[in-house]
Amino acid sequence: VAKSRGMNTWHWYEQERRPATQDEIILRHDLRLAMERNELELHYQPVIDAVSGSWRGVEALVRWHHPQRGMISPGVFIPLAEQTGQIIEVGRWVLRRACEDGMQRWREGHRVVPVAVNISTLQFRRRNFVEEVRAILAETGLPGHLLELEVTEGVLMENAQETIELMKQLRELGVTVSIDDFGTGYSSLRYLRDLPASKVKLDISFIRDILTNPDNMAIVQGIITMAHHMQLKVVAEGVETEAQRDDLIARGCDLLQGFLFSRALPVAELASLPTRFPDRS
Ligand code: C2E
Ligand code: MG
Ligand code: MG
Ligand code: MG
């Protein structure tokens, strides 16, 4: 199951098994070339401490500069890569590049904050995933505590016990795990209680109309209260307005991410952002 960003719809690729469109076949082929031609790039979006406004991390978000079509959104090509299995190769590239960039920034001495990397369920559940992470950390030199992995609730659905074990092994490397797009999946709250995760990221769809939709307001408040009870930090994604920010702060949200602060930027442009975003006015 993959959710395509921005459309707010669910595509049941597994169940559906519709034949790929001509366009998808071409894109898959192009994606294979994209790796060789260096067309993928990582951008980074800061994650801000809700109260102090200082940086607490950056999230790596992959971009594809297609030679003919221009920029293709990860919301389009990641689900495609998940269908074909290309996500394994793409994901490995992303993880390595994010660690290299993180190490580079660390060496240069600016804003030493963890880098968060999105990991597809397929990638996370591969037999040697922890070994892969260990190897990439060793090769790039990035300390494990400067790496965070973002997985969706999908990883919890198949085998919770195995997932818990995986997360423990990652923890031994210093690597923490966040649950992305929280509240959109089907996982039981019981899993959340048992998971050695460190953060939940509220899905953008809750934030978008948090001020006008009482249901979303209640969901957000409920998730924050519950997460804090379980010693988990809460990140709100998609914060675009000061009103949203203020509401989230009032509800006890710990970390904020969104266009209000910055879009995802090429690594070289991060240095031009303020080290601290203004406090509540
Ligand atoms: P996500 O991990 O939940 O990332 C958040 C998405 O929200 C990003 O979209 C980000 O640019 C966007 N966003 C952040 N702030 C705002 C805001 O204030 N307003 C709005 N409207 N959007 C905001 P992006 O970069 O297009 O990525 C979409 C999704 O693609 C990601 O959702 C993630 O699920 C997936 N993705 C991106 N990069 C990777 C990757 O390297 N590996 C994997 N497996 N998935 C990735
Ligand atoms: Mg994410
Ligand atoms: Mg998300
Ligand atoms: Mg997502």
Side-chain angles (χ1 to χ4, degrees):
V1 182
K3 188 183 155 199
S4 59
R5 266 275 141 230
M7 287 190 286
N8 252 330
T9 51
W10 289 88
H11 293 289
W12 299 85
Y13 293 113
E14 303 267 337
Q15 278 87 341
E16 196 178 344
R17 291 199 192 286
R18 63 166 170 76
T21 63
Q22 189 63 31
D23 199 49
E24 286 170 340
I25 293 169
I26 295 169
L27 268 190
R28 285 174 190 172
H29 177 256
D30 287 356
L31 186 56
R32 218 172 310 136
L33 297 176
M35 306 288 302
E36 298 164 18
R37 295 177 184 155
N38 253 328
E39 289 165 10
L40 298 187
E41 188 183 328
L42 284 189
H43 286 190
Y44 296 89
Q45 185 179 36
V47 180
I48 302 301
D49 184 288
V51 177
S52 72
S54 52
W55 295 45
R56 283 288 177 272
V58 291
E59 178 176 7
L61 294 159
V62 70
R63 303 292 179 247
W64 179 8
H65 298 279
H66 191 282
Q68 283 89 38
R69 302 185 191 207
M71 183 93 112
I72 301 181
S73 156
V76 171
F77 75 87
I78 292 291
L80 207 63
E82 284 171 339
Q83 281 175 282
T84 61
Q86 286 168 300
I87 190 64
I88 299 301
E89 206 190 330
V90 171
R92 196 182 294 129
W93 181 89
V94 167
L95 187 58
R96 174 177 296 273
R97 174 56 59 84
C99 290
E100 283 168 359
D101 286 348
M103 192 57 199
Q104 180 69 26
R105 284 167 40 74
W106 189 41
R107 267 203 215 96
E108 288 167 4
H110 24 226
R111 293 171 198 149
V112 183
V113 288
V115 59
V117 178
N118 292 285
I119 304 293
S120 282
T121 299
L122 205 66
Q123 191 187 0
F124 190 79
R125 302 197 69 87
R126 288 244 303 181
R127 190 168 293 282
N128 55 359
F129 179 68
V130 175
E131 279 321 306
E132 196 176 302
V133 172
R134 191 197 310 276
I136 289 177
L137 287 174
E139 288 160 23
T140 59
L142 189 77
H145 73 272
L146 292 181
L147 178 65
E148 295 178 357
L149 304 179
E150 297 190 2
V151 299
T152 58
E153 290 165 272
V155 303
L156 313 178
M157 283 168 64
E158 285 159 57
N159 187 339
Q161 205 47 53
E162 208 173 280
T163 304
I164 291 168
E165 193 47 47
L166 260 171
M167 288 192 188
K168 282 187 181 152
Q169 290 172 20
L170 289 165
R171 256 220 174 157
E172 281 163 21
L173 301 176
V175 177
T176 56
V177 177
S178 309
I179 312 299
D180 205 353
D181 304 342
F182 189 76
T184 61
Y186 305 98
S187 64
S188 149
L189 296 180
R190 188 170 55 86
Y191 289 155
L192 188 62
R193 183 196 62 192
D194 297 336
L195 276 185
S198 63
K199 288 178 191 135
V200 296
K201 299 190 78 170
L202 289 165
D203 192 63
I204 232 167
S205 58
F206 297 121
I207 310 304
R208 196 169 293 133
D209 57 0
I210 186 177
L211 298 167
T212 52
N213 182 333
D215 291 341
N216 282 354
M217 230 176 238
I219 290 170
V220 165
Q221 188 63 74
I223 292 175
I224 292 173
T225 304
M226 180 190 66
H228 283 172
H229 205 76
M230 298 177 186
Q231 280 26 281
L232 293 160
K233 297 246 186 270
V234 181
V235 189
E237 302 189 298
V239 182
E240 294 185 354
T241 68
E242 293 182 358
Q244 288 170 335
R245 176 197 61 186
D246 293 347
D247 189 66
L248 286 159
I249 293 173
R251 290 174 196 284
C253 190
D254 305 285
L255 301 157
L256 307 173
Q257 189 179 349
F259 296 167
L260 176 64
F261 308 102
S262 174
R263 291 174 178 268
L265 298 172
V267 66
E269 288 171 36
L270 287 179
S272 66
L273 293 174
T275 48
R276 200 153 168 269
F277 289 88
D279 297 56
R280 263 174 293 183
S281 35

